[in-house]
Amino acid sequence: MAEVVKGMARHFAQEHSLQHLGPFDLFETFTAYCIVKRFSHDFEPDELRAGGPCDLGIDAYAVIIDGEVMVDPEEIREYIADRKQIQVRFVVIQAKHKIAFDGQTFTKLADGILHVFNLGEELTLRAGKGARRLRECVRVVYEDPRKFEAHGLPRIDVWYASLGRYRPAAHRGHREAAYRRLDNSSLFRLVEVSGAGAAELRSMYRDTAPGVVATLALPDRRRVELPSSPVTGVKRVFIGVVRARDLVNDLLLDEQGDPRAHLYDENLRDFLGMARNTVNQAIAETIADPARHGEFVVLNNGITIVVHSLVAPPDQLVLRGPRVVNGCQTCNVLERNRDKLTDDVLVNVRVIETADPDVVTEIVKATNRQTAIAPDLLNARAGNQQHLEEYCASRPDNREIYFERRLNQYGSSKPRSRVINRRHMIQAYGAMWLGVPHKVSAYRSLSSGKYGPIFAENQDPHLYYVSASAYLNAGRLIGRGVPPQYRPGLFHLVYGLRLLAVGSDVSRLDRNALDTATGQLLDVLWDPDRLQKILETTLLPAIDASVGREGLSGLTAAVRTDLFTERFRRAVLEMPASQRDRLTQAA
């Protein structure tokens, strides 16, 4: 099984252009991806990695606020500054690249976490950059406790993973000891301590792929198909009553008996837990009470499931690409109390077949009235983004790009080297045309328009396409011709290509001049040899001239500063004209 997971990690590296990572760093990144994907879908896997010397056992982490993954304290500060209430989840991971599973690691990891989270005391143990960065994130999150009033204190999910065999019963003692240490700290409203061996990682990685198929037992006598839907884009709707036991076994758990956490990607709230949530406690009490569990179907609102497609043979529904868009709390309580479920415990379900992401948004809005929807999620369905998607896919000369407005929109139907998701599109545009490559990690501020308009009406899709071409093609060269140490500077390379093509002031160019300049740039971007030559002779030297005394080893931190961007801009623009003109000469 370990060799299977290693193969999956290599496939993962190819999919995410991480071939430059060594086996240990790759395993940490792969593990973090598999775990954090259970809670969110919009993040950069390599940004989660925090391992290294003196990491206190913390190899990766994520701070998930209102469903958004963050790892940078400044990004967190910007995000929560104007929000009165926040819902926070910390995910902390230790990943050991060895075929063994040591239960004592749970307690050691808990000690390291408490050392980082205890802001009342100075760090007495040596802590590396990743652990210190997490500590700063913690400091920002806990700065104003009033922001926890609505949702409670942050929760924490702690994971220890390896290539060995995880045996829950054998490791229960260490896992529960780690739980008690963390829970007794009073820092968290909910603590989860989990383990994953090679078998669990295999299952989790398989579940990150689109196209999961589940067969739900739904007797004909308990279901009704609506004769037609008044909503354009909805193909079929079934309303019915299923046994809770069948719901858990057929849909909520995979073939290995592990929870399919990705089912809740579209849900607006994560699971709120049992210990401190009275609603979920009431659900569990109803299930456990033999005199009342038959009332469950009347007392509970049930769940709403959206699917890409379905087949309805007798007494079954075959669901392809299922997502629970409402009912996350109910599903999680049922799954955690599945040993108490009897045939008398029934659940209301509504199954909606639609492949239209705009319709999914409307369903999410309609079934989650109690929770505000982030504008960033709703904007993904705006008409101007649909136009941009069509524009990028229709480019001639084998230069098409597929703009993925929604998670796994293209699945495996398009080559991943030609697919750019919404996050990267915004970051590439912000770096190239807004001139803020140092701010792209503050993705939420960038997408909100803080540094300039994003996806505004009447914006030229051509400029987004050019920045996407730069991001994809320059990124593909890193690790294959450009040394991997330059990867943290990818968005500065995108910005530098714009400086070479049109200079620092875009507004000075009329439409014809801009079209000519970007046309020459595209000719270079889509020719790997010429693009690599431009990077090697012009932009990589500009990065070298802009880093401080730490050199490329300090590039990850440097690229997030105004100072580095200004140094880089001057280094490019102050090059001799003959050197700066190589882009147009190459074209």
Side-chain angles (χ1 to χ4, degrees):
M1 186 64 71
E3 292 304 316
V4 171
V5 173
K6 289 179 182 179
M8 287 179 163
R10 290 191 294 271
H11 176 267
F12 162 80
Q14 293 176 345
E15 287 286 304
H16 294 271
S17 300
L18 297 173
Q19 299 94 323
H20 62 284
L21 294 180
F24 296 99
D25 288 345
L26 176 58
F27 183 68
E28 291 173 1
T29 307
F30 171 78
T31 300
Y33 172 80
C34 291
I35 291 171
V36 176
K37 196 77 171 177
R38 301 166 69 90
F39 310 120
S40 184
H41 59 258
D42 188 12
F43 60 91
E44 287 297 309
D46 201 31
E47 289 184 356
L48 306 179
R49 187 160 45 87
C54 307
D55 58 20
L56 302 181
I58 300 170
D59 292 324
Y61 73 85
V63 185
I64 306 175
I65 305 179
D66 300 336
E68 304 285 350
V69 175
M70 306 181 197
V71 296
D72 181 73
E74 289 307 311
E75 181 182 12
I76 295 172
R77 182 173 284 109
E78 284 190 14
Y79 180 82
I80 68 178
D82 57 350
R83 283 167 171 78
K84 293 182 180 180
Q85 298 294 314
I86 55 175
Q87 183 177 3
V88 183
R89 168 186 238 139
F90 291 100
V91 183
V92 182
I93 301 161
Q94 181 166 23
K96 291 190 175 183
H97 186 263
K98 59 182 182 181
I99 306 176
F101 201 99
D102 182 3
Q104 291 183 349
T105 300
F106 283 117
T107 51
K108 294 176 182 177
L109 178 56
D111 290 340
I113 291 170
L114 290 175
H115 195 56
V116 169
F117 275 71
N118 189 356
L119 301 176
E121 297 181 4
E122 295 295 322
L123 289 174
T124 56
L125 300 176
R126 290 183 61 193
K129 292 180 180 178
R132 290 184 180 276
R133 187 177 60 173
L134 173 58
R135 185 175 172 87
E136 286 307 306
C137 292
V138 172
R139 192 184 306 280
V140 174
V141 166
Y142 283 90
E143 212 163 40
D144 186 356
R146 294 172 299 178
K147 294 183 183 291
F148 303 144
E149 290 175 357
H151 302 290
L153 287 168
R155 66 171 290 170
I156 187 168
D157 292 82
V158 178
W159 286 79
Y160 160 44
S162 80
L163 289 169
R165 181 186 174 194
Y166 172 51
R167 294 174 294 168
H171 301 120
R172 181 178 295 119
H174 290 298
R175 186 166 53 83
E176 291 182 350
Y179 166 84
R180 288 192 297 271
R181 294 185 193 185
L182 293 167
D183 193 51
N184 291 339
S185 70
S186 299
L187 289 168
F188 313 106
R189 66 174 173 84
L190 182 66
V191 175
E192 292 277 357
V193 180
S194 305
E200 289 75 22
L201 289 174
R202 171 181 173 270
S203 177
M204 284 191 281
Y205 184 63
R206 289 176 60 188
D207 254 4
T208 64
V212 171
V213 178
T215 300
L216 182 62
L218 184 56
D220 291 347
R221 68 182 184 279
R222 290 181 181 167
R223 78 185 190 195
V224 174
E225 180 179 5
L226 299 188
S228 63
S229 172
V231 180
T232 302
V234 172
K235 298 177 181 178
R236 306 173 76 181
V237 178
F238 282 86
I239 298 174
V241 178
V242 303
R243 291 189 301 189
R245 177 187 291 163
D246 293 337
L247 177 73
V248 172
N249 294 332
D250 297 344
L251 178 64
L252 305 186
L253 301 179
D254 64 16
E255 292 83 353
Q256 288 73 41
D258 297 319
R260 285 186 168 125
H262 72 281
L263 290 174
Y264 313 109
D265 282 350
E266 297 283 356
N267 211 278
L268 298 180
R269 294 184 298 170
D270 63 20
F271 181 50
L272 300 177
M274 302 287 297
R276 299 177 178 88
N277 187 276
T278 56
V279 174
N280 289 343
Q281 287 176 356
I283 296 175
E285 289 168 1
T286 302
I287 294 170
D289 186 349
R292 297 183 59 216
H293 59 209
E295 303 172 2
F296 185 85
V297 69
V298 177
L299 300 177
N300 187 270
N301 289 331
I303 67 172
T304 301
I305 305 167
V306 172
V307 298
H308 296 313
S309 63
L310 63 82
V311 180
D315 297 326
Q316 290 182 335
L317 290 183
V318 181
L319 313 178
R320 183 173 296 278
R323 288 290 187 272
V324 175
V325 299
N326 184 254
C328 172
Q329 308 305 312
T330 297
C331 288
N332 276 276
V333 174
L334 290 173
E335 185 266 311
R336 283 162 171 75
N337 292 272
R338 58 185 180 273
D339 59 325
K340 302 181 181 70
L341 298 178
T342 68
D343 289 349
D344 297 329
V345 183
L346 304 176
V347 184
N348 297 301
V349 297
R350 179 168 51 162
V351 181
I352 303 171
E353 180 185 9
T354 178
D356 188 336
D358 298 325
V359 174
V360 176
T361 294
E362 293 306 313
I363 295 170
V364 171
K365 286 175 18 182
T367 56
N368 291 272
R369 296 288 185 188
Q370 77 279 11
T371 306
I373 299 177
D376 190 51
L377 295 178
L378 296 180
N379 289 341
R381 281 88 175 198
N384 55 344
Q385 293 187 48
Q386 294 178 358
H387 175 54
L388 175 58
E389 178 187 349
E390 294 164 355
Y391 180 89
C392 291
S394 64
R395 294 304 84 208
D397 304 323
N398 194 31
R399 293 181 179 180
E400 65 274 7
I401 287 175
Y402 302 98
F403 173 37
E404 196 168 56
R405 294 183 294 121
R406 292 290 299 138
L407 174 68
N408 287 326
Q409 182 174 340
Y410 294 108
S412 59
S413 64
K414 305 296 181 185
R416 297 308 297 177
S417 60
R418 294 293 185 95
V419 175
I420 184 167
N421 62 27
R422 190 169 182 274
R423 178 191 183 99
H424 292 156
M425 179 68 85
I426 291 174
Q427 290 177 316
Y429 181 85
M432 177 172 274
W433 300 112
L434 302 182
V436 288
H438 53 292
K439 293 295 186 181
V440 296
S441 62
Y443 168 67
R444 280 86 205 167
S445 296
L446 188 66
S447 61
S448 70
K450 179 176 180 178
Y451 303 107
I454 294 289
F455 297 138
E457 293 294 335
N458 301 320
Q459 272 190 307
D460 187 354
H462 178 70
L463 297 183
Y464 284 90
Y465 170 75
V466 174
S467 57
S469 298
Y471 170 80
L472 291 174
N473 290 305
R476 192 156 51 242
L477 288 177
I478 295 178
R480 299 181 180 179
V482 174
Q485 293 89 338
Y486 287 97
R487 176 162 291 279
L490 173 56
F491 288 105
H492 279 80
L493 297 179
V494 171
Y495 175 52
L497 288 164
R498 165 264 176 104
L499 292 175
L500 292 175
V502 302
S504 186
D505 184 7
V506 180
S507 63
R508 67 182 176 81
L509 298 179
D510 61 26
R511 182 69 220 196
N512 289 336
L514 186 60
D515 285 345
T516 299
T518 54
Q520 292 174 335
L521 176 57
L522 285 170
D523 286 340
V524 172
L525 293 176
W526 289 97
D527 186 318
D529 294 334
R530 286 192 284 175
L531 177 57
Q532 182 167 338
K533 180 180 178 183
I534 291 294
L535 297 181
E536 289 177 343
T537 60
T538 306
L539 297 183
L540 298 187
I543 286 181
D544 293 337
S546 305
V547 293
R549 286 179 296 179
E550 291 187 42
L552 292 180
S553 63
L555 187 59
T556 299
V559 296
R560 300 184 181 211
T561 65
D562 295 352
L563 178 60
F564 180 86
T565 296
E566 179 56 24
R567 284 177 175 172
F568 178 77
R569 186 185 70 85
R570 275 186 283 174
V572 175
L573 297 178
E574 292 176 1
M575 286 181 177
S578 58
Q579 196 168 353
R580 282 189 286 111
D581 290 343
R582 284 180 178 172
L583 186 143
T584 54
Q585 292 168 0

